[in-house]
Amino acid sequence: MTQMRQSTGVHEAGHAVVSYVVGRRMMHAVLFNHQCGEFMPLCSACDTCVEYYNENDPARSTHSKLIQDNLRCDMAISTAGEIAQRAICGNGDFDEHDFEKDRSRARELSSKIHQWIDPNCWREWGATTCPSCKAYGDSITQAVSEIVAKQHIKDSIQAIAEELEKLNDNVRMNRSGIEEILKASGLMEGSEIGSLPSVG
């Protein structure tokens, strides 16, 4: 296997493993080629849920709080690919542009979470990042870095990456295949949810 394919496999596996340990369901992971892959989580908030969240303060609504917690987990998942890739593969020949989609997604989620702390945030900043959003984003990045640094998590990421690397391009590794490996390694679903910083 090429070093580039290994690195891409680790990136997608990082998303998958962190998704599993924060208790979020997934659909699949796939390598399209040596340089490009995809991790697909299950939808965290449909349009109806987003509309409900926009109109109901999580401090007063259990369902809105659940949506906000899911957004927080999705932030962690968005950051996990780059963090895993750097932790396991080093700071080698990465194209920083390759990380921008995940970074942009994390910033958007942070702003969405923050709108109930500062109502002007979403209207004024949108998908960019206000200082409070950046601080929360930094705390999520730190938490995910600490999760990925745990040896059993790192070993699990490498195990999923190795399986992805073996598959032909465009052949998906589905949820059951990923979860089978993670369960066999002793990883517990949702075991790291408490490691993520709370909102507010």
Side-chain angles (χ1 to χ4, degrees):
M1 299 295 171
T2 69
Q3 187 174 354
M4 179 65 74
R5 189 174 185 84
Q6 290 172 340
S7 185
T8 305
V10 166
H11 183 101
E12 303 309 332
H15 288 309
V17 173
V18 169
S19 179
Y20 184 77
V21 297
V22 299
R24 299 287 293 122
R25 290 301 182 100
M26 65 191 85
M27 293 177 66
H28 67 260
V30 61
L31 300 186
F32 298 125
N33 53 48
H34 289 355
Q35 295 178 290
C36 182
E38 174 186 76
F39 170 74
M40 184 65 67
L42 281 179
C43 177
S44 62
C46 65
D47 289 344
T48 302
C49 285
V50 169
E51 183 178 340
Y52 183 89
Y53 174 77
N54 288 341
E55 296 174 359
N56 294 273
D57 187 343
R60 296 186 177 91
S61 165
T62 303
H63 183 60
S64 194
K65 177 61 176 169
L66 178 62
I67 294 168
Q68 188 180 62
D69 283 342
N70 285 340
L71 296 174
R72 175 181 64 134
C73 290
D74 287 350
M75 257 190 91
I77 295 163
S78 292
T79 66
E82 178 180 352
I83 290 169
Q85 199 170 350
R86 291 188 188 279
I88 294 171
C89 304
N91 288 315
D93 297 326
F94 299 149
D95 182 346
E96 293 294 321
H97 179 73
D98 292 343
F99 299 134
E100 188 50 42
K101 182 179 177 183
D102 289 337
R103 291 173 181 172
S104 177
R105 174 70 174 149
R107 288 193 299 269
E108 180 183 350
L109 289 164
S110 185
S111 188
K112 196 70 175 161
I113 289 166
H114 188 227
Q115 77 180 52
W116 281 108
I117 301 166
D118 177 0
N120 292 320
C121 174
W122 182 254
R123 289 195 294 271
E124 291 179 4
W125 295 82
T128 61
T129 308
C130 77
S132 294
C133 288
K134 184 180 185 311
Y136 186 67
D138 290 346
S139 70
I140 286 282
T141 297
Q142 180 62 35
V144 174
S145 297
E146 291 171 7
I147 291 169
V148 169
K150 295 179 181 180
Q151 194 60 53
H152 67 293
I153 302 284
K154 195 176 287 187
D155 290 345
S156 296
I157 291 171
Q158 290 177 303
I160 297 296
E162 287 169 8
E163 292 304 313
L164 283 170
E165 291 162 37
K166 293 175 189 175
L167 295 173
N168 291 331
D169 290 352
N170 299 306
V171 175
R172 295 175 178 177
M173 188 175 184
N174 62 23
R175 181 181 75 197
S176 61
I178 294 169
E179 291 184 352
E180 183 178 341
I181 292 170
L182 297 181
K183 287 175 183 175
S185 72
L187 215 57
M188 292 181 59
E189 186 175 6
S191 60
E192 295 292 339
I193 185 63
S195 299
L196 298 183
S198 59
V199 177

